[in-house]
Amino acid sequence: MKTAVEELSPTRVKLTVEVPFDELRPSMDAAYKKVAQQVRVPGFRPGKVPARIIEQRFGRAVVLEETLNDAVPKLYGQAVDEADVFPVSQPDIEVTKIDDGEQIEFTAEVDVRPNFDVPDYQGIEVTVDSAEVTDEDVDRQLDALRQRFATLTGVERAATAGDYVVMDLRAEIDGKNIEEQAASEVSYEVGAGSVLQGLDDALEGMSAGDEKSFQTELVGGENAGEQADVIINVKSVKEKVLPELDDEFAQLASEFDTLDELKASIREQARRNKLIDQVVQSREKALDAVLDQLDLPLPESALKAEIDARKHNLDHQVAESGLSRDAFFRLYQTTEEERFAEFEKNSARALKVGFVLDKVAKSEELGVSEQELTNFVVRRAMEMGVQPNELAKHLADNDQLTLAMVEIVRDKAKSVIGDAAKVVDTDGNEVDLKAIYTEINGEAPVEEEAAAEDGTTEDKGEA
């Protein structure tokens, strides 16, 4: 087989492939067997029709078509390997010549990863947040813990922001009751930011037994987007009461006997989370520094596919929410235009990141062990709330194990770039990533998924 490569643009090539007929022999034998199974010829059992009879009765063109259908995709894959190109889209393949018994020729146009060299990432300087834990850090997490154990107590006064009300709601359009918009015994925090515009303003100042109406745009159901009169009937008003910070609270909210012990545990966990976050930041910032040195042209088809996938997911989220499109974006305090702009920016970055990490993985000869794949499936199953064996079966049945391995390898490549950086914190202190690995979980690599989140008290697991 002979392959010629023509560069149509920095991100698209045309492969011209010439294949001697001898190399088609396995596919041709398979084609005869397949056609023999499909046709019925008197005097011959299914699958036992000789090749010469098939050609006499149905023509050689039928066999050639089956041969090419089987052979060309395989030959295309071989041509890609020989040409050392990295396709990022489905190819446009055209068989341009068939010399029966001699050779065939086909062309394949395909979008590819642009040629580039990864900038030297050894010693890239990055700055990460300090791992010092302040009293404010501890107080913030204590407050979050108190919120979880807060109680609601009924009050004989008008509702204010932060109070909870239990209410009945109904809606009318031109005096006609809209049954599907009615709801009873709804518990709601005043000031939480309802997608039903005007609800918070209407609730402030209302007491148990009060009724009030306000006009707004309905956000769901058949009448979504229409103006309606919404009638509120407040059944009760409750205020949130936080528990006192004392030893009794420590015993209620944790396994500790004293508040001081609880604070010490929170401080240590906060420090652990900040150390893990330093590793995550070092990787992301080192990768960003590499990307900043590259001006990569992006394959249009791959970029469009990435953007379209994000738009499809957004459409699914809107549909699942049961809200109108306007209400959905209002709930998340954004607009459709802003989301689409984010998609374009993030999709472009995602493609560049994939290109760079794939190159690093290849140069560093990174692979995936069976144990690493198992760990990935177990961790992802925990995040999704499913059994690991169920997720593993789903990945295998849907041919997604390769994608899982790509994700693992890219994460390892990101670790290589991050670990090669020179890292200091915002206080000017040098950050020893290896020391963090050792302190958190021995010499094991840090998993990005273990990144600490502000305001949480849960154990983040391995770094």
Side-chain angles (χ1 to χ4, degrees):
M1 185 175 76
K2 179 181 177 182
T3 303
V5 182
E6 178 185 356
E7 185 178 290
L8 303 178
S9 77
T11 60
R12 191 168 180 83
V13 298
K14 178 180 180 180
L15 305 178
T16 301
V17 185
E18 298 177 1
V19 186
F21 228 78
D22 288 344
E23 295 186 25
L24 300 177
R25 183 56 56 190
S27 292
M28 182 163 285
D29 291 341
Y32 277 117
K33 290 181 180 179
K34 184 175 181 180
V35 173
Q37 290 285 350
Q38 295 173 340
V39 301
R40 295 293 180 267
V41 177
F44 296 95
R45 286 178 296 165
K48 299 299 183 179
V49 183
R52 61 181 179 80
I53 300 298
I54 291 175
E55 292 187 11
Q56 289 173 3
R57 295 289 296 269
F58 305 101
R60 185 168 171 81
V62 173
V63 177
L64 286 176
E65 182 178 359
E66 285 293 341
T67 299
L68 295 179
N69 287 341
D70 179 74
V72 170
K74 300 174 184 177
L75 294 168
Y76 165 73
Q78 294 176 27
V80 164
D81 291 338
E82 288 183 8
D84 195 26
V85 295
F86 192 98
V88 295
S89 68
Q90 292 298 316
D92 295 325
I93 295 178
E94 179 183 1
V95 177
T96 54
K97 182 188 296 184
I98 301 177
D99 288 339
D100 197 356
E102 296 295 328
Q103 72 171 22
I104 67 164
E105 180 180 293
F106 69 90
T107 62
E109 291 190 18
V110 64
D111 286 342
V112 295
R113 181 181 66 193
N115 287 321
F116 68 96
D117 294 321
V118 178
D120 184 11
Y121 47 81
Q122 293 293 329
I124 287 178
E125 297 185 7
V126 298
T127 302
V128 300
D129 293 338
S130 170
E132 180 184 356
V133 179
T134 65
D135 291 341
E136 288 76 13
D137 293 327
V138 176
D139 290 342
R140 184 167 54 251
Q141 296 201 33
L142 272 175
D143 185 62
L145 197 56
R146 291 176 72 200
Q147 293 287 341
R148 288 170 52 187
F149 286 88
T151 57
L152 296 177
T153 303
V155 292
E156 300 294 330
R157 60 169 175 76
T160 61
D163 287 337
Y164 282 76
V165 299
V166 176
M167 59 184 172
D168 294 341
L169 293 169
R170 70 180 193 277
E172 296 178 352
I173 297 179
D174 296 330
K176 180 182 178 182
N177 185 54
I178 311 299
E179 291 186 7
E180 70 170 350
Q181 297 289 341
S184 300
E185 300 292 324
V186 176
S187 180
Y188 177 73
E189 182 182 3
V190 180
S194 171
V195 293
L196 201 59
Q197 287 190 315
L199 178 62
D200 287 314
D201 291 337
L203 284 172
E204 286 207 44
M206 293 186 70
S207 301
D210 288 351
E211 184 172 284
K212 181 187 291 187
S213 67
F214 67 99
Q215 194 170 74
T216 190
E217 180 183 295
L218 298 179
V219 297
E222 294 182 3
N223 301 98
E226 296 183 40
Q227 290 292 316
D229 293 311
V230 174
I231 297 92
I232 310 169
N233 186 286
V234 174
K235 312 293 283 292
S236 64
V237 178
K238 299 178 181 180
E239 66 179 359
K240 183 187 291 186
V241 179
L242 300 179
E244 293 292 330
L245 273 177
D246 52 24
D247 292 345
E248 185 177 346
F249 169 70
Q251 295 164 20
L252 172 68
S254 71
E255 72 274 24
F256 301 107
D257 294 326
T258 68
L259 182 61
D260 287 341
E261 290 175 330
L262 174 58
K263 286 183 176 180
S265 175
I266 289 176
R267 185 177 292 274
E268 177 56 31
Q269 187 57 52
R271 178 177 175 277
R272 176 189 175 95
N273 289 346
K274 288 195 173 192
L275 289 174
I276 296 173
D277 197 47
Q278 284 187 326
V279 177
V280 174
Q281 287 186 39
S282 68
R283 292 178 178 178
E284 290 296 335
K285 292 190 174 184
L287 179 57
D288 283 340
V290 170
L291 294 177
D292 288 343
Q293 300 178 59
L294 289 170
D295 183 17
L296 294 181
L298 298 178
E300 291 184 7
S301 62
L303 181 59
K304 182 179 184 301
E306 187 79 24
I307 293 173
D308 287 347
R310 293 170 190 253
K311 288 182 177 179
H312 176 76
N313 289 338
L314 176 62
D315 290 340
H316 181 72
Q317 292 173 18
V318 173
E320 286 289 308
S321 73
L323 301 173
S324 68
R325 207 164 179 87
D326 288 342
F328 178 87
F329 290 117
R330 191 161 60 243
L331 174 64
Y332 290 98
Q333 300 180 350
T334 185
T335 65
E336 187 171 43
E337 291 74 19
E338 289 173 343
R339 276 292 185 93
F340 284 180
E342 281 182 20
F343 290 166
E344 292 187 10
K345 177 182 177 181
N346 294 339
S347 295
R349 184 183 187 278
L351 283 180
K352 292 179 182 179
V353 166
F355 292 161
V356 169
L357 295 182
D358 288 344
K359 278 243 181 183
V360 172
K362 184 176 181 179
S363 66
E364 297 287 341
E365 299 182 346
L366 302 177
V368 180
S369 68
E370 184 175 341
Q371 187 59 52
E372 287 171 332
L373 183 57
T374 299
N375 292 344
F376 174 88
V377 172
V378 170
R379 186 173 63 250
R380 190 57 53 86
M382 291 177 61
E383 294 170 357
M384 298 171 63
V386 300
Q387 292 297 317
N389 59 336
E390 292 179 8
L391 179 59
K393 185 177 185 304
H394 173 79
L395 294 175
D397 291 346
N398 291 274
D399 296 325
Q400 293 181 1
L401 284 175
T402 299
L403 295 178
M405 289 189 286
V406 168
E407 187 172 341
I408 296 169
V409 168
R410 286 179 174 179
D411 191 60
K412 293 170 74 171
K414 188 189 294 185
S415 298
V416 169
I417 295 175
D419 291 351
K422 179 181 179 182
V423 187
V424 296
D425 66 19
T426 49
D427 295 329
N429 301 312
E430 185 175 344
V431 176
D432 187 342
L433 299 181
K434 290 184 179 180
I436 294 178
Y437 298 157
T438 302
E439 177 174 348
I440 299 301
N441 51 286
E443 293 297 336
V446 178
E447 298 293 343
E448 182 174 350
E449 287 77 12
E453 297 178 6
D454 291 339
T456 60
T457 58
E458 292 81 9
D459 189 343
K460 292 297 178 178
E462 289 189 337

